[in-house]
Amino acid sequence: MKTTEPFSHVEHAHTHNPLLNHPEPPPAAVRKRLFIGAPFNITLLFILSILLVILNQQVLATNSAFPEKYSRKHSQVDRLKWQRTAFHFQPAKNFIYGPLFHMGWYHLFYQHNPYAPVWGNMSWGHSVSKDLINWFELPVALGPSEWYDIEGVLSGSTTVLPNGEIFALYTGNTNNFSQFQCKAVPVNISDPLLVEWVKYDGNPILYTPPGIGLKDYRDPSTVWKGPDGKHRMIMGSKRNKTGLVFVYHTDDFTNYKLLDEPLHSVPNTDMWECVDFYPVSLTNDSALDMAAYGPGIKHVIKESWEGHRKDWYSIGTYDAINDKWTPDNPELDVGIGYRCDYGRFFASKSLYDPLKKRRVTWGYVAESDKHNQDRTRGWATIFNVGRTVVLDRKTGTHLLHWPVEEIESLRYNGQEFNEIELEPGTIIPLDIGTATQLDIVATFVVDQDALNATSETSYEHGCTKSAGAAERGHFGPFGVAVLADEILSELTPVYFYIAKTAEGGVLTHFCTDKLRSSRDFDEERVVYGSTVPVVDGEELTMRILVDHSVVEGFAQGGRTVITSRVYPTKAIYKDAKLYLFNNATHISVKASLKIWQMAPAQVKPYPF
Ligand SMILES: OC[C@H]1O[C@@](CO)(OC[C@@]2(O[C@H]3O[C@H](CO)[C@@H](O)[C@H](O)[C@H]3O)O[C@H](CO)[C@@H](O)[C@@H]2O)[C@@H](O)[C@@H]1O
């Protein structure tokens, strides 16, 4: 790895940043010093403060902050071209999202419109990879063709049986959008690419159960064998506003018998789409295949909340004899506890990878700019970089989602910055050259004496209801601003914010501020985030993947994750810069970073 000189050249670049700072009164001790002086100084200071307040208010008013609609420098064509990601999976064009599975090669199946970059003509797109990073696009595996799927081959799953048999279960959308479950098989299982698929001629194999809406019944899971030798399949649905998971038993993988009782249900969580269910180990980081059952194992339910477009998980115990699942903590039940990702990430689906004994999950990361841009760009929505999922054995309450190790093969030109002192209210540029494709690992050491000395409490703080990185607290925000232009008119800060509780404890928030990511339209001009547990003895660490229009942030090894789509108009190409900041009012922070440039991944048609 190539390293730069120590960070001395940046130290004298410390600047006071009006864009990040709120017009808050300085702390009492400082205030005293400011007001000792001649009346002339007081008047001057007063005028300056008024100007600062006006400037800050302009910046904080989200839409009116940017009167100039487009940057003159980069044309719209250039901007849209820049948005295409370099190392996140997306096919050459059109619309993607959906499920995946494995066979020899890693096979990724996804919801795909072969004709336009918008939802419609839903088909199963198909790509294969040897390393989860570089992909070959194959022909569409399954497209609408029959009465039961004429309006779309929707999401589902694939199953590989121990005898090598492979089949897919999917939801067919009829001409009136009723949903039926269907089966398909590869034509030739000795083809490692599984290029051709054929639909079962007895489709549909499953009809909507009584009392369930015809449009509330979809996304059949992978089939697995329970400890009693019976095979199971599950599907998400809802009854009134109660989200639930149906369980089916099968002997032949074509006929499925619905059990009377659901595996689990939670009132007021609406339709559960793309339900995922898998075991996690309490004793090590090795993933388990679906059949794993017994002591030392917990089971995770993940659901994608229709309408909200958010993925929720909960950790609990699976009783395979009665096909019932119970959450460890009812207050952290499915849909009311933790999310897989606090940004834009939906309809995720995981794969047990027997090669590396790990579970990898992908979700689709939709666009958040104007819908008509999709057509101009020619593509829409991407996948996150595949993430391994393990139980966080330190907390026991969280999952850890972390980019697959293969992504590190794209790193080059590594640079290290050690122990940069960030005093309250500073922002410094990090001179790393091009800043559009990056892997950043940052550690922050907080001045504990200052933290302990202050009794101020800000327990009520929350990323999503805050004013983002401009909202100054005693102990935050501090972090990294990515995709920022030189004058900070566009920037996406990814940061920690420490809040002290009335009892003297601390609560750490991990946030991404999209309020000033783009001067252009963004339907989610918001601050994303949540709290992140920090276990005794841990430093505050974050990892950020920057890839043009996507920013993935991981705090504390992936306990809290935030994926954002961003559409800067100025901070693009060589004008995209990186900054380190501490906008807290009362603590200094020492930051150490490793930053790599990221090479593009290859996504190509398979060379038949
Ligand atoms: O592509 C269908 C699969 O995708 C899932 C999970 O994302 O359901 C999405 C869903 O919404 C799509 O269709 C809507 C039109 O009917 C459209 O407005 C929306 O933008 C699309 O994402 O698809 C079904 C209807 O087909 C709808 O109820 C969902 O919200 C998954 O559940 C599907 O299998």
Side-chain angles (χ1 to χ4, degrees):
M1 183 184 76
K2 184 188 150 216
T3 53
T4 55
E5 298 289 319
F7 202 61
S8 55
H9 60 293
V10 189
E11 251 155 43
H12 41 251
H14 282 229
T15 49
H16 199 74
N17 170 32
L19 291 173
L20 284 172
N21 293 346
H22 248 336
E24 273 188 9
V30 181
R31 212 180 307 146
K32 250 192 231 150
R33 259 185 281 128
L34 283 177
F35 283 86
I36 298 170
F40 171 75
N41 284 348
I42 295 172
T43 317
L44 195 66
L45 276 172
F46 181 72
I47 293 169
L48 281 175
S49 325
I50 299 274
L51 284 175
L52 198 63
V53 168
I54 293 168
L55 177 65
N56 273 286
Q57 274 169 354
Q58 275 183 352
V59 168
L60 289 175
T62 43
N63 284 322
S64 60
F66 308 120
E68 186 195 342
K69 192 143 189 250
Y70 296 116
S71 147
R72 265 175 240 115
K73 197 161 179 187
H74 301 286
S75 69
Q76 195 200 15
V77 173
D78 282 350
R79 290 206 315 271
L80 295 185
K81 214 159 126 195
W82 178 87
Q83 287 165 12
R84 190 170 177 87
T85 59
F87 59 88
H88 282 73
F89 174 71
Q90 55 182 134
K93 57 185 179 144
N94 298 342
F95 182 82
I96 63 162
Y97 68 125
L100 58 117
F101 86 116
H102 163 263
M103 190 249 156
W105 290 67
Y106 295 103
H107 290 247
L108 193 49
F109 294 97
Y110 39 88
Q111 290 286 275
H112 179 59
N113 182 347
Y115 309 110
V118 293
W119 195 89
N121 307 297
M122 280 295 107
S123 306
W124 275 33
H126 185 188
S127 291
V128 290
S129 171
K130 283 281 184 195
D131 61 6
L132 301 177
I133 304 298
N134 300 291
W135 294 89
F136 287 116
E137 271 190 75
L138 297 176
V140 163
L142 294 164
S145 61
E146 311 298 324
W147 69 267
Y148 53 78
D149 62 15
I150 201 68
E151 274 300 331
V153 175
L154 305 189
S155 301
S157 302
T158 52
T159 301
V160 183
L161 294 173
N163 66 4
E165 206 181 309
I166 295 169
F167 61 91
L169 298 177
Y170 70 90
T171 301
N173 230 4
T174 68
N175 61 354
N176 68 356
F177 296 90
S178 300
Q179 294 159 354
F180 295 108
Q181 313 317 318
C182 308
K183 185 175 175 180
V185 292
V187 171
N188 174 9
I189 58 163
S190 55
D191 168 13
L193 301 182
L194 301 173
V195 174
E196 272 186 84
W197 288 73
V198 61
K199 293 172 187 172
Y200 172 60
D201 58 13
N203 277 342
I205 56 168
L206 271 174
Y207 295 84
T208 324
I212 295 298
L214 294 175
K215 296 175 184 167
D216 301 329
Y217 178 61
R218 60 183 177 275
D219 313 332
S221 76
T222 296
V223 173
W224 81 94
K225 190 167 156 185
D228 53 4
K230 287 187 191 139
H231 284 90
R232 280 118 168 126
M233 182 272 281
I234 54 172
M235 273 182 55
S237 186
K238 72 167 174 182
R239 208 174 253 128
N240 301 316
K241 285 256 165 222
T242 297
L244 56 87
V245 188
F246 286 128
V247 188
Y248 291 84
H249 284 179
T250 181
D251 296 326
D252 59 6
F253 313 109
T254 301
N255 295 290
Y256 292 81
K257 184 176 171 298
L258 176 63
L259 303 195
D260 292 339
E261 288 292 316
L263 178 74
H264 190 59
S265 64
V266 181
N268 299 316
T269 54
D270 217 336
M271 167 75 200
W272 290 4
E273 301 186 271
C274 300
V275 169
D276 208 2
F277 181 61
Y278 53 85
V280 284
S281 170
L282 286 167
T283 52
N284 60 58
D285 284 348
S286 252
L288 302 163
D289 88 357
M290 278 304 297
Y293 185 75
I297 292 174
K298 289 276 174 192
H299 276 77
V300 174
I301 294 183
K302 187 284 307 179
E303 65 97 3
S304 305
W305 185 323
E306 184 183 34
H308 284 201
R309 310 252 133 189
K310 289 170 183 166
D311 277 18
W312 301 81
Y313 71 83
S314 181
I315 302 163
T317 303
Y318 172 43
D319 166 2
I321 308 309
N322 299 300
D323 277 300
K324 280 280 176 197
W325 176 91
T326 315
D328 285 352
N329 177 353
E331 286 179 14
L332 298 176
D333 209 335
V334 189
I336 59 171
Y338 297 129
R339 282 169 57 189
C340 302
D341 187 305
Y342 288 83
R344 213 142 166 110
F345 175 92
F346 192 61
S348 62
K349 175 85 189 162
S350 72
L351 159 78
Y352 172 67
D353 171 5
L355 293 180
K356 291 204 168 182
K357 301 258 180 299
R358 62 185 170 176
R359 183 162 291 276
V360 184
T361 188
W362 286 263
Y364 87 91
V365 182
E367 307 302 319
S368 66
D369 62 345
K370 284 193 206 93
H371 284 301
N372 58 7
Q373 303 276 52
D374 298 345
R375 288 191 189 275
T376 321
R377 257 191 308 253
W379 55 269
T381 77
I382 60 167
F383 276 107
N384 58 287
V385 169
R387 295 172 186 165
T388 54
V389 194
V390 293
L391 179 74
D392 176 14
R393 282 177 285 117
K394 283 191 190 167
T395 62
T397 51
H398 284 66
L399 294 177
L400 299 175
H401 291 90
W402 194 247
V404 291
E405 61 188 7
E406 289 88 339
I407 194 73
E408 293 165 27
S409 66
L410 299 178
R411 289 171 169 176
Y412 70 99
N413 271 0
Q415 303 189 43
E416 245 176 82
F417 302 101
N418 291 313
E419 302 201 349
I420 303 165
E421 186 81 33
L422 293 170
E423 281 165 16
T426 53
I427 178 159
I428 59 174
L430 294 177
D431 184 11
I432 55 148
T434 317
T436 52
Q437 291 168 213
L438 300 175
D439 188 350
I440 304 166
V441 177
T443 304
F444 297 89
V445 179
V446 168
D447 176 353
Q448 286 299 322
D449 292 340
L451 189 62
N452 296 335
T454 315
S455 57
E456 196 265 356
T457 61
S458 42
Y459 189 63
E460 293 302 317
H461 179 86
C463 303
T464 55
K465 59 186 182 192
S466 75
E471 186 169 312
R472 304 191 70 181
H474 277 51
F475 319 115
F478 53 87
V480 181
V482 302
L483 298 174
D485 66 335
E486 197 144 34
I487 59 160
L488 299 171
S489 69
E490 285 182 331
L491 72 169
T492 300
V494 182
Y495 59 89
F496 290 112
Y497 186 109
I498 300 174
K500 231 169 166 178
T501 65
E503 298 76 38
V506 292
L507 205 56
T508 304
H509 300 260
F510 180 59
C511 322
T512 299
D513 173 356
K514 281 207 345 161
L515 297 174
R516 275 152 293 207
S517 292
S518 172
R519 291 167 155 248
D520 215 338
F521 173 84
D522 187 339
E523 75 182 41
E524 281 205 310
R525 200 184 280 285
V526 294
V527 183
Y528 291 133
S530 184
T531 53
V532 58
V534 180
V535 174
D536 277 351
E538 279 185 348
E539 288 178 332
L540 292 178
T541 62
M542 63 168 77
R543 180 166 177 197
I544 310 170
L545 297 176
V546 180
D547 186 6
H548 297 257
S549 57
V550 61
V551 176
E552 292 187 66
F554 304 83
Q556 302 310 108
R559 253 175 227 147
T560 299
V561 179
I562 306 169
T563 303
S564 315
R565 297 308 304 277
V566 290
Y567 307 92
T569 62
K570 293 191 139 207
I572 59 179
Y573 297 104
K574 65 176 182 24
D575 298 324
K577 317 259 176 238
L578 193 68
Y579 292 83
L580 200 53
F581 70 92
N582 175 14
N583 210 24
T585 54
H586 280 64
I587 44 160
S588 294
V589 178
K590 250 188 215 145
S592 298
L593 297 94
K594 283 186 184 165
I595 303 172
W596 294 268
Q597 298 289 339
M598 295 294 276
Q602 302 294 316
V603 182
K604 299 187 206 162
Y606 189 80
F608 288 109

